[in-house]
Amino acid sequence: MQTSVTPTHCPYCALQCGMNLTPVPDGDGGSVVEVTERSDFPVNRGALCGKGRTAPALLSSRVRLTSPLIRTDGELRPAGWDEALDRIAEGLSRTRTEHGPDACGVFGGGGLTNEKAYTLGKFARVALGTSQIDYNGRFCMSSAAAGGIKAFGLDRGLPFPLEDIPRTGCVILVGSNLAETMPPALRYLTELKENGGTLIVIDPRRTRTAEQADLHLAPRPGTDLALALGLLHLVVAQGRTDEAYIRERTSGWEEARAAAMAHWPEYVERITGVSVPQLRETVRMFCEPESAMVLTARGPEQQSKGTDTVGAWINLCLATGRAGRPFSGYGCLTGQGNGQGGREHGQKADQLPGYRKLDDPAARRHVAEVWGVDPDSLPGPGRSAYELLDAMGTDIRSLLVMASNPVVSAPRAAHVEERLRSLDFLAVADVVLSETAALADVVLPVTQWAEETGTTTNLEGRVLLRKQAITPPEGIRSDLYVMRELAARLGVEKGFPTDPEEVFEELRRASAGGAADYSGITYRRLAEENGVFWPCPADEPGGPTGVAAGAGTPAGAGGVHPGTPRLFLDRFATPDGRARFVAVNHRPLAEEPDEEYPVLLTTGRVVSQYQSGAQTRRVDELNAAAPGPFVELHPRLAERLGVVEGEPLAVVSRRGRAVAPARITTAIRADTVFMPFHWPGEGRANTLTNPALDPVSRMPEFKACAVRVERVAGRGGR
């Protein structure tokens, strides 16, 4: 039995917490893997949430796929790997021949390693020749990415390490329930307060995170844009702008200022429900310290105006000189495990490796040279995630899904499920038989975190090495193996290695000179340095990234670039080095309440489940803590409906109906109900959500839609 300890990282959220995996006897002559503390990793310093502690449960053959499955006579049956791969290649080839390459779709995931995300993008564009590839990370951080690029010229979730948070003077946390979504990160907010800093939490619910706040603002869902504009109005009116900073380091201020001044406090109070005294107190708390930060998450981002909302919060930082300075700035709290790296290297519809734009001729030439293909052979940008799913069965006739479960996670999920069923051919590669995999013609069982080596990029932009700790069971193959074998069957026999380090070496070359430059990063460095922050070009600081890549960081020994923990200290990543204000104005939700649907629904997560729940719902300890969906509502709404605690409630939108037990609490606004989105079936929250898209990021409006709430006839409460 192997007894060595393997340092690695958690498979779940974007903290990518460090952990050790230690084999222990299972009592039957074999071994199981046990998670032990890894205190040397600076992000979590040994702390883990329940999901991280129980992650090895997913390695059990009791809960995972162990053989390929092929649908025969309507039922999935076990099959051999060659038969399954031949069947997928046949399905994709037939679609390509009959309908053209763009009739083949590829849908990836924010949990894929950098190596797999990179290879999936290459597979789609080189082996399949399709433009139709996107991934579920579009549902996570795309609005923050678009807003960051507009303002700063670069998207990296946090432009500073988490360790800077306790050293700032004030944090405004917008739409994040950090205590439940990434519990080990809560210590940074605790340390902030211990150091004399203040915390402002903006959330329509009084969450576990909001309970830690010095000030909690509970705006009506979908009004975060108006709130940010109202705060900027007060900053200007009170003379709290940093005029020297605005003059020296920004552009576009006059237009942004004029837009903000149209949002006077009393007007914003009517829109948001946040009182004028609370608005004034927020401005005071944010502006009085020498440094401050704004951190956003899905609350303000998952809206049909998410990009503008992010832009308004960035404007607040810029107007007060709180960006590109020590312990200050705007940052986004990435959700998925590799949500950052997953969009940097080519599985997003409009991007090539290194965060290059697919429609940039120079980017196409560079990547095509690395791939050994003609730049003109690369397809152009394709559909965004929801648009791709919506086109299934019509323009998209076959689909390959890797590490995603859109039957549960996509907006208007019943429609997406119907579209999946209408495909000519569906193949899914996953660890478990998810609700999406259960619809497939072919299902492939693939390796997971502890059974493979690969890199991820956490929410700080820190590239990390996850090491293989155990050998996968017989019958399991890696995603890299799957793509190599499929590419060969599609006529591309070279260019798809299965060794992760070999793939990473190619990724380094493909990313060189791009915004997300990994060319100076190696597996050896990642192991020795506990991760490296990108951009990290192969040359010395100040290289081709255009962001003064080494800003705030001394050069390493022998000219080796040290990586970039802190961005923008010298200049922003725009052509003139200035941050750009963007003039934005409040606008309503795509779907406001009315007489038929008078209540707002907002959705989110609970601490013991993760994303679509495909994995965490298979862990007994996590299910015991969070066994199923619920509808959170205020006592006043419950009284109007005549509802008691635990009674089944129907929540109905224009897209469908979901039923779950009532959870009555004063922690939510009386005009709002909340549902977690981890479960399929009758309680599937995303049956209800609105797929209205942000015009820039193409992010659906998950966070707010109009519903009505009804008692369920014949199903009384406890």
Side-chain angles (χ1 to χ4, degrees), residues 476-497:
I476 308 296
R477 303 287 186 271
S478 73
D479 296 282
L480 295 179
Y481 171 87
V482 168
M483 288 182 277
R484 183 193 70 181
E485 293 297 308
L486 289 178
R489 285 165 169 79
L490 292 168
V492 182
E493 296 187 357
K494 294 183 179 180
F496 290 90

Side-chain angles (χ1 to χ4, degrees), residues 104-223:
C104 296
V106 177
F107 199 83
L112 293 174
T113 62
N114 290 318
E115 292 81 0
K116 292 190 283 189
Y118 169 85
T119 302
L120 189 62
K122 182 179 180 181
F123 173 82
R125 296 177 176 107
V126 174
L128 275 176
T130 182
S131 65
Q132 300 304 304
I133 175 172
D134 210 70
Y135 82 125
N136 61 19
R138 177 78 69 170
F139 300 156
C140 174
M141 231 190 119
S142 56
S143 292
I149 290 170
K150 277 188 173 185
F152 306 131
L154 184 72
D155 157 43
R156 196 180 85 184
L158 291 180
F160 40 74
L162 284 163
E163 67 185 44
D164 283 4
I165 292 175
R167 303 168 70 183
T168 192
C170 176
V171 169
I172 299 180
L173 189 63
V174 191
S176 168
N177 185 10
L178 199 66
E180 297 203 56
T181 58
M182 43 183 69
L186 189 63
R187 68 168 58 194
Y188 293 102
L189 301 180
T190 303
E191 291 170 7
L192 165 75
K193 296 180 68 175
E194 290 172 350
N195 292 341
T198 55
L199 173 64
I200 302 167
V201 172
I202 298 172
D203 197 303
R205 303 167 62 224
R206 188 166 181 81
T207 63
R208 294 184 188 179
T209 308
E211 289 173 353
Q212 310 300 313
D214 298 286
L215 177 62
H216 172 219
L217 309 182
R220 181 175 178 269
T223 63

Side-chain angles (χ1 to χ4, degrees), residues 12-15 49 51-52 140 175-184 203 205 207-209 297-299 302 333-337 602-613 616 626 628 630 632 663 674-679 685-686 703:
Y12 288 112
C13 81
L15 285 180
C49 72
K51 295 186 290 292
C140 174
S176 168
N177 185 10
L178 199 66
E180 297 203 56
T181 58
M182 43 183 69
D203 197 303
R205 303 167 62 224
T207 63
R208 294 184 188 179
T209 308
R298 306 302 78 76
Q302 287 181 326
L333 299 172
T334 307
Q336 294 194 75
T602 191
T603 63
R605 287 170 47 189
V606 297
V607 67
S608 293
Q609 299 289 352
Y610 182 72
Q611 304 300 71
S612 76
T616 50
F630 56 86
E632 188 177 280
R663 184 174 292 183
F674 166 83
M675 290 187 72
F677 57 74
H678 310 290
W679 288 274
N686 278 321
K703 281 302 176 190

Side-chain angles (χ1 to χ4, degrees), residues 501-519:
E501 188 167 8
E502 186 177 348
V503 176
F504 190 79
E505 288 300 305
E506 182 178 304
L507 182 157
R508 291 176 62 203
R509 299 195 302 275
S511 73
D517 191 333
Y518 284 31
S519 61

